[in-house]
């Protein structure tokens, strides 16, 4: 269950080119690299599948 505090105090948005991830680090190199190098492309690819259907 999502707590009321999270719902009221956090903002969620899709990743976009406006997000500067150059200084991001979660401490796990593979995750950092994915977010910085591949996440936006993967999100855009998924959006295309959602829009046009996934055969």
């Amino acid at each position: 269950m999502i707590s009321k505090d999270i719902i009221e105090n956090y903002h969620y948005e899709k990743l976009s080119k406006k997000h500067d991830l150059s200084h991001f680090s979660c401490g796990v190199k593979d995750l950092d690299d994915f977010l910085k190098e591949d996440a936006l492309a993967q999100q855009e690819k998924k959006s295309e599948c959602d829009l046009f259907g996934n055969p």
Side-chain angles (χ1 to χ4, degrees):
M1 176 181 251
I2 299 175
S3 76
K4 185 177 179 181
D5 182 55
I6 291 174
I7 293 170
E8 293 178 353
N9 294 301
Y10 289 88
H11 172 78
Y12 298 92
E13 61 184 79
K14 284 188 171 189
L15 192 59
S16 73
K17 292 179 183 177
K18 73 178 182 179
H19 294 103
D20 178 10
L21 302 172
S22 60
H23 299 289
F24 174 84
S25 176
C26 69
V28 178
K29 184 176 179 347
D30 286 342
L31 292 176
D32 292 341
D33 291 347
F34 173 76
L35 185 61
K36 293 176 182 179
E37 300 168 9
D38 301 314
L40 181 58
Q42 290 291 323
Q43 177 182 276
E44 290 171 347
K45 185 176 179 180
K46 182 184 179 331
S47 292
E48 290 173 5
C49 290
D50 291 345
L51 180 61
F52 296 108
N54 192 358

